[in-house]
Amino acid sequence: MPSGNDTALTPPPPSFPMESSICVQTSPHARAKRRIAALLEEVETLKQDKAIKQSCIIVTRRTTYYVSQGRVIRRMVALYTPIEDLVAENDRCCEDSDGGSTPECYCGFMTNWQVLTPRSWRTCFERFFFQLKRGADSARGDDTGTLKELVASWVNIECNATPLIRPDDKHHRGFVNDASGRLLCPVEWCWEDPVVRASIHDCTTAFIISENLWPSFLYETYKADANNLERGLFKLKLLVMGFKAIFTSPSSANKVDADGMRKVTPHAIVYAACQIRFALSNITSWCTIDGDFNYQIFWDNIVDFFEDPPGPVAQARVKALLEWWTRKVFGRNHQGDLTLNVISQMSVSSLAAQRQQMEDAMFD
């Protein structure tokens, strides 16, 4: 008997002889076919994954494109007109001009819709309009937020506002503040007159703040010539600075020249004027009506000034005003006016033509 201290030895497991393989022998050709089928299935899966990723990228790019197009609408086309009405008007103009061409703004969108059912077509259009509206609203909101602070700083400096206008507060702007009130006051009235200020504050019928009265912030010297109301109109430095902050960058607003758009358009000026007027007011959220002042009619009045002059003489003055704006905003760069016809008459082109003539003469 082994003692308790002895370690019990575990016997090794019995060994069995290796059985022969039970695999069924197949031909190399069959194994290759199965391998090819597996690889084809894997390739098809990869193609599907790639297609899904590409579809997501396309959808994202389209969404970004139409949102960016929407941002332009409010700034350059119309501030208050519904997006659907703008597209419908564009369709009507295209049909009247060339018999029904697709509007450029969504021709790419319609290219892939040829096989869609009416229901899916309507769904895509709803998504299309939603993206345009999203871009339009975001652009207007961004510009409103930017000018809320910038206009307060500019007015404090340019007009020596007392008390100072707080950049983060709108409740103490408008006619409550002396500096912003002077800018909003119609040019027909004298803001320095205590009777005028009191009547405006009391909202008397003799001093109604209407969109049919040009506000002082539109005039170069805050005052107008009663015998020539067009003189100095739309030339105030504050208006130009606001335009730059919207269409170039806020940092360029204090510079004389700036890079960016090629030319200033009437609708862009109107948009800047509406945004400046809103920034000077004490209204905290964007709206069409501010007391007795209607922004949409204000928009129309300025558009009519630029686009509906009474004759060629007034049209020439409008053209000169737009050229003045372009110089103020974008400097004296005339690259856009260098057409091929103009370049062909310059010395570099003339020298090339002369050399060619001399070369041809030698061969003749």
Side-chain angles (χ1 to χ4, degrees), residues 54-65:
Q54 289 179 342
S55 299
C56 294
I57 293 174
I58 292 174
V59 170
T60 301
R61 287 178 177 175
R62 284 180 177 174
T63 300
T64 303
Y65 172 77

Side-chain angles (χ1 to χ4, degrees), residues 51 81 105 107 117 123 151 157 166 175 183 208 215 231 236 295 328 355:
T81 306
C105 63
C107 60
T117 64
T123 301
V151 168
I157 297 173
R166 290 175 52 186
F175 293 101
L183 295 173
I208 300 176
R231 179 180 299 169
L236 183 65
Y295 276 94
K328 283 293 182 180
R355 297 180 68 190

Side-chain angles (χ1 to χ4, degrees), residues 62 65-67 69-70 73 82-95 100-114 116 121 124-132:
R62 284 180 177 174
Y65 172 77
Y66 287 107
V67 169
Q69 292 294 305
I73 289 176
I83 304 295
E84 295 84 352
D85 293 349
L86 292 174
V87 175
E89 177 64 17
N90 191 58
D91 288 345
R92 187 192 63 78
C93 293
C94 290
E95 292 174 357
S101 64
T102 301
E104 181 181 358
C105 63
Y106 56 88
C107 60
F109 219 37
M110 295 185 66
T111 301
N112 299 320
W113 290 0
Q114 303 300 327
L116 295 179
W121 185 287
C124 289
F125 262 110
E126 290 175 354
R127 188 182 304 115
F128 162 72
F129 284 124
F130 173 79
Q131 292 164 0
L132 287 180

Side-chain angles (χ1 to χ4, degrees), residues 220-286:
E220 187 173 15
T221 60
Y222 309 110
K223 295 180 180 180
D225 182 354
N227 297 319
N228 186 3
L229 291 173
E230 189 173 344
R231 179 180 299 169
L233 184 60
F234 303 116
K235 286 191 173 183
L236 183 65
K237 179 181 178 181
L238 177 65
L239 187 59
V240 176
M241 294 169 67
F243 186 100
K244 288 184 178 182
I246 294 171
F247 291 99
T248 56
S249 66
S251 61
S252 70
N254 294 319
K255 300 177 182 178
V256 176
D257 299 328
D259 295 326
M261 298 162 50
R262 295 273 183 185
K263 293 182 179 180
V264 175
T265 63
H267 285 219
I269 296 176
V270 184
Y271 179 80
C274 289
Q275 285 283 4
I276 292 291
R277 208 275 177 188
F278 179 79
L280 291 170
S281 72
N282 58 356
I283 303 299
T284 56
S285 60
W286 187 269

Side-chain angles (χ1 to χ4, degrees), residues 8-75:
L9 299 177
T10 303
S15 60
F16 299 95
M18 293 294 296
E19 296 181 0
S20 60
S21 174
I22 60 174
C23 296
V24 178
Q25 293 295 328
T26 58
S27 66
H29 180 69
R31 292 195 299 272
K33 289 180 64 177
R34 287 192 292 273
R35 180 58 179 164
I36 291 174
L39 290 174
L40 288 176
E41 183 177 356
E42 184 177 352
V43 169
E44 188 65 27
T45 302
L46 292 175
K47 286 182 177 179
Q48 293 178 358
D49 293 342
K50 183 179 180 180
I52 293 174
K53 292 180 180 179
Q54 289 179 342
S55 299
C56 294
I57 293 174
I58 292 174
V59 170
T60 301
R61 287 178 177 175
R62 284 180 177 174
T63 300
T64 303
Y65 172 77
Y66 287 107
V67 169
S68 65
Q69 292 294 305
R71 292 183 67 86
V72 178
I73 289 176
R74 293 301 178 216
R75 290 172 171 172

Side-chain angles (χ1 to χ4, degrees), residues 161-325:
T162 305
L164 294 177
I165 300 177
R166 290 175 52 186
D168 60 343
D169 176 52
K170 289 207 67 181
H171 294 285
H172 296 88
R173 303 189 188 190
F175 293 101
V176 176
N177 184 278
D178 182 70
S180 58
R182 179 182 292 106
L183 295 173
L184 293 172
C185 181
V187 291
E188 290 92 333
W189 309 332
C190 179
W191 176 255
E192 285 73 18
D193 188 343
V195 176
V196 172
R197 293 201 303 270
S199 299
I200 292 176
H201 292 156
D202 295 338
C203 301
T204 62
T205 56
F207 292 89
I208 300 176
I209 303 300
S210 169
E211 66 280 348
N212 294 304
L213 298 171
W214 292 122
S216 298
F217 76 85
L218 294 179
Y219 280 86
E220 187 173 15
T221 60
Y222 309 110
K223 295 180 180 180
D225 182 354
N227 297 319
N228 186 3
L229 291 173
E230 189 173 344
R231 179 180 299 169
L233 184 60
F234 303 116
K235 286 191 173 183
L236 183 65
K237 179 181 178 181
L238 177 65
L239 187 59
V240 176
M241 294 169 67
F243 186 100
K244 288 184 178 182
I246 294 171
F247 291 99
T248 56
S249 66
S251 61
S252 70
N254 294 319
K255 300 177 182 178
V256 176
D257 299 328
D259 295 326
M261 298 162 50
R262 295 273 183 185
K263 293 182 179 180
V264 175
T265 63
H267 285 219
I269 296 176
V270 184
Y271 179 80
C274 289
Q275 285 283 4
I276 292 291
R277 208 275 177 188
F278 179 79
L280 291 170
S281 72
N282 58 356
I283 303 299
T284 56
S285 60
W286 187 269
C287 57
T288 306
I289 304 296
D290 177 8
D292 296 311
F293 189 92
N294 188 310
Y295 276 94
Q296 187 164 3
I297 300 179
F298 180 62
W299 166 281
D300 294 337
N301 289 339
I302 302 179
V303 170
D304 289 343
F305 171 85
F306 283 100
E307 298 184 353
D308 190 24
V313 177
Q315 180 64 49
R317 292 197 300 271
V318 168
K319 182 180 179 181
L321 178 60
L322 291 174
E323 292 176 351
W324 178 89
W325 264 90

